[in-house]
Amino acid sequence: MFSRTENFKQYTKYYPVVSTLIAINLILYVLSLLPGVGTLLWNYGIQANFLVQKGEWWRVFSAMFLHAGFMHMFFNMFSLYLFGPELEKIAGKARFITIYLVSGIVGNMATYIFYDSSYASLGASGAIFGIFGAFGALVYYTRRTMPMLRKLILPIIIISVIMTFLQPNVNVFAHLGGLVTGFILGLIYLHPKRILSWRKQKMAGRP
Protein backbone atom coordinates (compact mmCIF):
# COMPACT_ATOMS: atom_id res chain seq x y z
CA MET A 1 0.00 0.00 0.00
CA PHE A 2 2.81 2.41 0.87
CA SER A 3 5.45 0.87 -1.38
CA ARG A 4 6.13 3.32 -4.20
CA THR A 5 7.17 1.64 -7.45
CA GLU A 6 6.26 4.41 -9.91
CA ASN A 7 8.91 6.25 -11.86
CA PHE A 8 9.05 10.06 -11.70
CA LYS A 9 6.75 10.60 -14.71
CA GLN A 10 4.16 8.11 -13.46
CA TYR A 11 4.25 9.50 -9.92
CA THR A 12 3.62 13.09 -11.02
CA LYS A 13 0.85 11.96 -13.38
CA TYR A 14 -0.99 9.74 -10.91
CA TYR A 15 -0.58 11.99 -7.84
CA PRO A 16 -0.54 15.62 -9.05
CA VAL A 17 -1.50 17.19 -5.72
CA VAL A 18 1.14 15.36 -3.71
CA SER A 19 3.73 16.10 -6.40
CA THR A 20 2.84 19.80 -6.41
CA LEU A 21 3.03 20.06 -2.62
CA ILE A 22 6.43 18.36 -2.56
CA ALA A 23 7.67 20.66 -5.33
CA ILE A 24 6.49 23.80 -3.50
CA ASN A 25 8.21 22.72 -0.28
CA LEU A 26 11.44 21.85 -2.08
CA ILE A 27 11.50 25.12 -4.02
CA LEU A 28 10.87 27.18 -0.91
CA TYR A 29 13.55 25.26 0.97
CA VAL A 30 16.11 26.01 -1.75
CA LEU A 31 15.03 29.66 -1.80
CA SER A 32 15.39 29.82 1.98
CA LEU A 33 19.09 29.01 1.55
CA LEU A 34 19.70 32.06 -0.64
CA PRO A 35 21.07 35.18 1.06
CA GLY A 36 18.43 37.85 1.40
CA VAL A 37 15.63 35.72 -0.04
CA GLY A 38 15.86 33.22 2.81
CA THR A 39 15.77 36.00 5.40
CA LEU A 40 12.70 37.45 3.71
CA LEU A 41 10.90 34.09 3.69
CA TRP A 42 11.66 33.50 7.36
CA ASN A 43 10.76 37.02 8.44
CA TYR A 44 7.37 36.92 6.72
CA GLY A 45 6.60 33.19 6.63
CA ILE A 46 7.29 31.45 9.94
CA GLN A 47 4.65 31.31 12.62
CA ALA A 48 5.75 33.64 15.39
CA ASN A 49 2.86 33.75 17.83
CA PHE A 50 3.40 37.35 18.87
CA LEU A 51 3.17 38.41 15.22
CA VAL A 52 0.06 36.32 14.67
CA GLN A 53 -1.33 38.07 17.73
CA LYS A 54 -0.70 41.38 15.97
CA GLY A 55 -2.84 40.31 13.03
CA GLU A 56 -0.42 38.51 10.73
CA TRP A 57 -2.73 35.53 10.38
CA TRP A 58 -1.27 34.36 7.08
CA ARG A 59 1.56 32.82 9.09
CA VAL A 60 -0.62 29.89 10.21
CA PHE A 61 -0.73 29.00 6.49
CA SER A 62 2.70 30.03 5.21
CA ALA A 63 4.57 28.25 8.02
CA MET A 64 3.39 24.91 6.58
CA PHE A 65 5.69 25.35 3.59
CA LEU A 66 8.90 26.34 5.38
CA HIS A 67 11.37 24.10 7.20
CA ALA A 68 14.14 24.64 9.72
CA GLY A 69 16.74 22.53 7.94
CA PHE A 70 17.35 19.80 5.38
CA MET A 71 16.47 16.86 7.66
CA HIS A 72 13.31 18.59 8.86
CA MET A 73 12.22 19.12 5.25
CA PHE A 74 13.39 15.67 4.13
CA PHE A 75 11.44 13.70 6.75
CA ASN A 76 8.23 15.68 6.15
CA MET A 77 8.47 15.40 2.37
CA PHE A 78 9.43 11.73 2.52
CA SER A 79 6.32 11.11 4.65
CA LEU A 80 4.20 13.02 2.12
CA TYR A 81 5.83 11.12 -0.76
CA LEU A 82 5.17 7.78 0.93
CA PHE A 83 1.73 8.20 2.52
CA GLY A 84 0.13 10.96 0.46
CA PRO A 85 -0.47 9.11 -2.84
CA GLU A 86 -2.78 6.46 -1.44
CA LEU A 87 -4.94 9.07 0.29
CA GLU A 88 -5.04 11.25 -2.84
CA LYS A 89 -6.14 8.19 -4.83
CA ILE A 90 -8.85 7.23 -2.31
CA ALA A 91 -10.20 10.69 -1.45
CA GLY A 92 -9.61 12.50 -4.74
CA LYS A 93 -7.60 15.63 -5.41
CA ALA A 94 -9.95 18.24 -3.91
CA ARG A 95 -10.65 16.29 -0.73
CA PHE A 96 -6.99 15.40 -0.27
CA ILE A 97 -5.81 19.01 -0.51
CA THR A 98 -8.59 19.99 1.90
CA ILE A 99 -7.45 17.41 4.46
CA TYR A 100 -3.83 18.47 4.07
CA LEU A 101 -4.29 22.24 4.26
CA VAL A 102 -7.04 22.34 6.90
CA SER A 103 -5.12 19.93 9.14
CA GLY A 104 -2.00 22.05 8.84
CA ILE A 105 -3.88 25.28 9.53
CA VAL A 106 -5.74 23.87 12.54
CA GLY A 107 -2.48 22.45 13.88
CA ASN A 108 -0.90 25.89 13.62
CA MET A 109 -3.95 27.52 15.20
CA ALA A 110 -3.56 25.08 18.10
CA THR A 111 0.07 26.19 18.29
CA TYR A 112 -1.10 29.79 18.59
CA ILE A 113 -3.71 28.97 21.24
CA PHE A 114 -1.74 26.62 23.49
CA TYR A 115 1.80 28.02 23.32
CA ASP A 116 2.79 31.42 24.64
CA SER A 117 3.41 34.48 22.50
CA SER A 118 7.17 33.93 22.34
CA TYR A 119 6.78 30.58 20.58
CA ALA A 120 7.75 30.30 16.90
CA SER A 121 7.36 27.30 14.61
CA LEU A 122 7.40 26.13 11.01
CA GLY A 123 7.04 22.91 9.04
CA ALA A 124 4.49 20.65 7.37
CA SER A 125 4.18 18.23 10.29
CA GLY A 126 0.61 19.23 11.22
CA ALA A 127 -0.53 18.59 7.65
CA ILE A 128 1.35 15.27 7.54
CA PHE A 129 -0.35 14.21 10.76
CA GLY A 130 -3.63 15.16 9.12
CA ILE A 131 -2.93 12.48 6.51
CA PHE A 132 -2.30 9.98 9.32
CA GLY A 133 -5.56 11.03 10.97
CA ALA A 134 -7.52 10.53 7.74
CA PHE A 135 -6.07 7.04 7.44
CA GLY A 136 -7.17 6.47 11.03
CA ALA A 137 -10.74 7.28 9.97
CA LEU A 138 -10.42 4.84 7.08
CA VAL A 139 -9.24 2.17 9.53
CA TYR A 140 -12.33 2.87 11.65
CA TYR A 141 -14.66 2.38 8.69
CA THR A 142 -12.91 -0.78 7.46
CA ARG A 143 -12.15 -2.35 10.85
CA ARG A 144 -14.31 -5.39 10.05
CA THR A 145 -13.80 -5.68 6.31
CA MET A 146 -10.06 -4.87 6.08
CA PRO A 147 -8.35 -5.91 9.35
CA MET A 148 -4.94 -5.93 7.62
CA LEU A 149 -5.27 -2.19 7.00
CA ARG A 150 -5.59 -1.64 10.75
CA LYS A 151 -2.44 -3.69 11.38
CA LEU A 152 -0.60 -1.54 8.87
CA ILE A 153 -1.87 1.93 9.78
CA LEU A 154 -2.29 1.88 13.55
CA PRO A 155 1.39 1.17 14.36
CA ILE A 156 2.40 4.10 12.12
CA ILE A 157 0.02 6.44 13.94
CA ILE A 158 0.96 5.19 17.41
CA ILE A 159 4.72 5.39 16.77
CA SER A 160 4.33 8.89 15.28
CA VAL A 161 2.42 10.11 18.34
CA ILE A 162 4.93 8.54 20.74
CA MET A 163 7.85 10.12 18.88
CA THR A 164 6.07 13.47 19.09
CA PHE A 165 6.52 13.39 22.87
CA LEU A 166 10.00 11.85 22.90
CA GLN A 167 11.80 14.06 20.39
CA PRO A 168 13.08 17.52 21.37
CA ASN A 169 11.92 20.72 19.69
CA VAL A 170 8.70 19.18 18.37
CA ASN A 171 5.50 21.19 18.04
CA VAL A 172 3.25 18.81 19.97
CA PHE A 173 0.04 20.79 19.45
CA ALA A 174 0.58 21.07 15.69
CA HIS A 175 0.97 17.29 15.49
CA LEU A 176 -2.03 16.50 17.65
CA GLY A 177 -4.19 19.25 16.13
CA GLY A 178 -3.40 18.00 12.64
CA LEU A 179 -4.05 14.38 13.62
CA VAL A 180 -7.46 15.10 15.15
CA THR A 181 -8.49 17.35 12.26
CA GLY A 182 -7.45 14.76 9.69
CA PHE A 183 -9.43 12.11 11.56
CA ILE A 184 -12.58 14.24 11.66
CA LEU A 185 -12.31 15.15 7.97
CA GLY A 186 -11.61 11.50 7.20
CA LEU A 187 -14.82 10.50 8.99
CA ILE A 188 -16.69 12.98 6.79
CA TYR A 189 -15.00 12.19 3.48
CA LEU A 190 -14.08 8.52 3.67
CA HIS A 191 -17.36 6.86 4.60
CA PRO A 192 -17.59 3.78 2.35
CA LYS A 193 -20.89 4.96 0.86
CA ARG A 194 -19.32 8.29 -0.09
CA ILE A 195 -16.35 6.57 -1.72
CA LEU A 196 -18.69 4.31 -3.73
CA SER A 197 -20.72 7.35 -4.77
CA TRP A 198 -17.60 9.20 -5.98
CA ARG A 199 -16.49 6.18 -7.98
CA LYS A 200 -19.89 5.85 -9.63
CA GLN A 201 -19.81 9.53 -10.53
CA LYS A 202 -16.31 9.18 -11.94
CA MET A 203 -17.33 6.20 -14.05
CA ALA A 204 -20.31 8.18 -15.29
CA GLY A 205 -17.95 10.97 -16.33
CA ARG A 206 -19.07 13.46 -13.67
CA PRO A 207 -16.56 15.40 -11.52
Side-chain angles (χ1 to χ4, degrees):
M1 186 178 186
F2 298 124
S3 177
R4 304 265 56 92
T5 58
E6 307 90 353
N7 60 38
F8 179 79
K9 186 176 180 180
Q10 290 171 329
Y11 189 94
T12 55
K13 178 182 177 182
Y14 298 155
Y15 317 115
V17 176
V18 171
S19 300
T20 300
L21 288 169
I22 292 174
I24 292 171
N25 279 273
L26 288 176
I27 290 168
L28 287 176
Y29 174 72
V30 172
L31 290 175
S32 73
L33 300 177
L34 301 178
V37 178
T39 302
L40 195 66
L41 283 173
W42 276 61
N43 286 345
Y44 288 96
I46 68 171
Q47 179 172 338
N49 279 352
F50 75 96
L51 292 174
V52 175
Q53 196 172 40
K54 291 182 177 180
E56 297 184 10
W57 285 98
W58 70 81
R59 293 174 182 274
V60 301
F61 175 80
S62 60
M64 284 192 288
F65 299 95
L66 299 174
H67 290 87
F70 176 77
M71 294 308 295
H72 186 207
M73 181 274 298
F74 175 79
F75 280 119
N76 277 336
M77 291 305 100
F78 183 72
S79 297
L80 180 56
Y81 165 82
L82 201 61
F83 301 113
E86 202 65 31
L87 187 61
E88 180 175 345
K89 184 167 67 176
I90 295 169
K93 292 187 283 291
R95 287 173 282 271
F96 174 83
I97 193 65
T98 300
I99 291 169
Y100 185 89
L101 293 179
V102 173
S103 296
I105 290 170
V106 172
N108 285 343
M109 289 176 64
T111 300
Y112 173 70
I113 293 169
F114 294 109
Y115 284 116
D116 62 38
S117 61
S118 65
Y119 193 83
S121 66
L122 70 170
S125 301
I128 300 299
F129 269 74
I131 293 175
F132 294 157
F135 275 119
L138 188 63
V139 166
Y140 171 76
Y141 282 132
T142 62
R143 60 193 182 279
R144 293 189 179 91
T145 58
M146 298 176 65
M148 288 304 296
L149 182 64
R150 181 183 62 206
K151 292 180 180 179
L152 182 64
I153 298 295
L154 283 185
I156 294 172
I157 296 174
I158 292 169
I159 291 171
S160 297
V161 171
I162 291 173
M163 293 304 295
T164 292
F165 290 97
L166 294 182
Q167 290 179 316
N169 303 317
V170 170
N171 187 338
V172 173
F173 290 110
H175 285 200
L176 298 183
L179 183 71
V180 172
T181 303
F183 182 75
I184 292 171
L185 290 174
L187 289 177
I188 296 169
Y189 287 148
L190 302 180
H191 191 286
K193 290 183 179 179
R194 286 182 181 269
I195 294 175
L196 287 173
S197 175
W198 301 335
R199 289 181 177 173
K200 287 180 182 178
Q201 290 176 15
K202 191 173 183 179
M203 290 176 66
R206 288 180 288 171

